[in-house]
């Protein structure tokens, strides 16, 4: 999108004061930051920068508060939208005529970047221009439940599928077109993009979208293995392969691997590893047994089902040790833990009761009409 903008769509920004929500992934194929490209673009006045989770340079840890600052290269103020403020204040928007967004998405509802954008767009009441980028795990695959709005949070703001099968531009077109998001959205589309593409088929150099998503396989698996964030097992943060391996000090990893391999889940196999976890994470400083998810056919993998069945297997094999990490609602009434990640309280119920087969059938039924509803918003058919 940034390259298309500079080639033939810069008129959308000329003569306007521009506020840019971006991070380290906002760059052209030569590696030049969108911040620098817009700062130097003729007729464009870059007046504000906004940073999401992990900061504008993408180095802050997950959940770490990010402070507002000034960009040293351009002198433009940088306002944090992940910390004390998730929605921009009027003071943060006062010198802006149009908002621009350029961040690489991961195709999963359980992610904060696109929801920081949605919150900003709803609050700003200013035109929004999205510089589109690929859905890295294919934009023609939709899986999982639709968010129950009772469980909305910064990892899920609107009623979309868990693996939503859209570029971020299409996602915002859909939300605006259905009235879920009150915003004037313009998308600068990609050229030569096909919905069936994996990110490594686009020719765009890879940049880790966040510190713990280091491979395309991890991004694919993330939509399911992220559920382990809400449990007493670890999702692999602090190891060499976050979201591609799951473990715990109490895990019988050999028995777990046998159980999971017996399920014959499409496109994956399970191996046993032992890894030392970095301090600051679950089981920090300990060498723990883990199950590694090895992708054998990425086109066959169903990551949402994978995550649900792994949860049930952990729950069944280790009923005393495995637990949900936080209560669904804290003392202040804010949704937390696994329900926030899943966008529903029914996942916990199904895993605890052993009724995940029925739950997954319901989620498949949810995904089908969502696929139909988003069709008018697609940019790349």
């Amino acid at each position: 999108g940034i390259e298309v903008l500079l080639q033939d769509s810069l008129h959308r920004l000329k003569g306007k004061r521009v506020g840019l929500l971006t991070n380290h992934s906002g760059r052209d194929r030569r590696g030049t930051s969108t911040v620098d490209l817009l700062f130097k673009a003729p007729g464009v006045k870059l007046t504000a920068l906004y940073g999401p989770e992990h900061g504008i340079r993408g180095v802050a840890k997950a959940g770490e508060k990010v402070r507002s600052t000034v960009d040293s290269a351009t002198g433009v103020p940088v306002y944090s939208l992940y910390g004390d403020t998730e929605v921009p204040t009027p003071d943060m928007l006062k010198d802006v005529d149009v908002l621009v967004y350029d961040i690489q998405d991961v195709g999963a509802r359980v992610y904060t970047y696109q929801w920081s954008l949605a919150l900003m767009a709803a609050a700003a009441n200013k035109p929004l221009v999205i510089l589109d980028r690929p859905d890295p795990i294919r934009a023609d695959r939709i899986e999982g439940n639709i968010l129950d709005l009772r469980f909305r949070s910064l990892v899920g703001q609107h009623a979309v599928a868990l693996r939503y099968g859209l570029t971020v531009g299409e996602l915002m077109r859909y939300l605006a077109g259905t009235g879920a998001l009150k915003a004037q959205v313009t998308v600068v589309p990609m050229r030569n993009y096909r919905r069936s593409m994996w990110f490594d088929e686009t020719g765009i150099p890879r940049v880790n979208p966040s510190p713990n998503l280091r491979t395309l396989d991890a991004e694919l698996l993330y939509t399911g293995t992220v559920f382990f964030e809400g449990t007493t097992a670890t999702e692999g943060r602090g190891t060499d392969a976050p979201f591609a391996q799951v473990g715990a000090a109490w895990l019988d990893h050999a028995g777990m691997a046998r159980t999971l391999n017996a399920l014959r889940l499409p496109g994956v196999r399970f191996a046993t590893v032992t890894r030392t976890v970095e301090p600051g994470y679950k089981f920090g400083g300990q060498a723990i047994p883990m199950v590694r998810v090895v992708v054998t056919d990425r086109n066959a993998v169903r990551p949402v089902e994978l995550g649900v069945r792994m949860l049930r297997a952990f729950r069944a094999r280790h009923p005393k040790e495995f637990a949900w990490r936080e209560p669904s609602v804290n003392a202040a009434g804010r949704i937390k833990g696994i329900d926030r990640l899943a966008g529903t309280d029914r996942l916990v119920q199904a895993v605890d009761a052993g009724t995940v087969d029925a739950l997954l059938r319901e989620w498949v039924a949810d995904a089908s009409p969502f696929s139909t509803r988003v069709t008018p918003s697609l940019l790349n058919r």
Side-chain angles (χ1 to χ4, degrees), residues 172-367:
M172 294 302 149
R173 274 168 54 95
Y174 167 70
L175 295 175
T178 57
L181 178 65
K182 306 299 183 185
Q184 178 187 331
V185 176
T186 299
V187 180
V188 178
M190 295 170 280
R191 291 201 186 109
N192 305 315
Y193 176 65
R194 299 187 308 278
R195 308 192 68 76
S196 60
M197 282 180 167
W198 294 90
F199 189 85
D200 59 10
E201 296 172 332
T202 66
I204 301 171
R206 178 182 169 82
V207 177
N208 292 343
S210 53
N212 285 292
L213 288 176
R214 303 170 189 169
T215 66
L216 185 54
D217 280 355
E219 290 178 32
L220 172 61
L221 298 172
Y222 173 82
T223 314
T225 56
V226 69
F227 291 142
F228 280 87
E229 286 186 0
T231 76
T232 51
T234 174
E235 67 283 0
R237 293 184 191 272
T239 73
D240 59 330
F243 300 106
Q245 55 196 18
V246 176
W250 38 260
L251 177 64
D252 170 14
H253 62 337
M256 183 61 66
R258 286 194 300 271
T259 296
L260 291 170
N261 281 320
L263 295 176
R264 299 187 181 279
L265 297 175
V268 296
R269 63 178 176 83
F270 299 89
T272 58
V273 297
T274 300
R275 292 291 185 267
T276 299
V277 183
E278 296 173 20
Y281 297 95
K282 295 180 198 172
F283 307 104
Q286 300 181 54
I288 65 169
M290 306 189 79
V291 172
R292 179 70 179 263
V293 188
V294 180
V295 175
T296 58
D297 180 359
R298 62 185 181 179
N299 290 301
V301 177
R302 297 194 293 264
V304 176
E305 178 182 357
L306 169 85
V308 172
R309 294 200 181 279
M310 288 183 70
L311 286 176
R312 176 56 195 166
F314 270 65
R315 175 75 171 82
R317 180 167 285 273
H318 293 282
K320 294 181 180 178
E321 300 88 352
F322 178 87
W324 306 109
R325 194 177 183 194
E326 298 171 316
S328 294
V329 181
N330 67 9
R334 184 174 180 179
I335 303 298
K336 297 188 73 178
I338 186 64
D339 292 351
R340 186 169 61 94
L341 295 168
T344 177
D345 57 3
R346 302 201 59 214
L347 176 60
V348 167
Q349 297 168 12
V351 170
D352 285 348
T355 57
V356 295
D357 287 347
L359 180 77
L360 288 167
R361 285 194 295 271
E362 292 175 10
W363 285 11
V364 169
D366 286 345

Side-chain angles (χ1 to χ4, degrees), residues 144-176:
N145 66 311
I146 309 303
L147 176 80
D148 181 337
L149 292 179
R150 293 180 300 151
F151 300 95
R152 70 194 314 173
S153 71
L154 196 58
V155 290
Q157 272 288 304
H158 289 278
V160 301
L162 194 50
R163 182 185 184 184
Y164 46 69
L166 301 165
T167 70
V168 70
E170 293 169 337
L171 174 63
M172 294 302 149
R173 274 168 54 95
Y174 167 70
L175 295 175

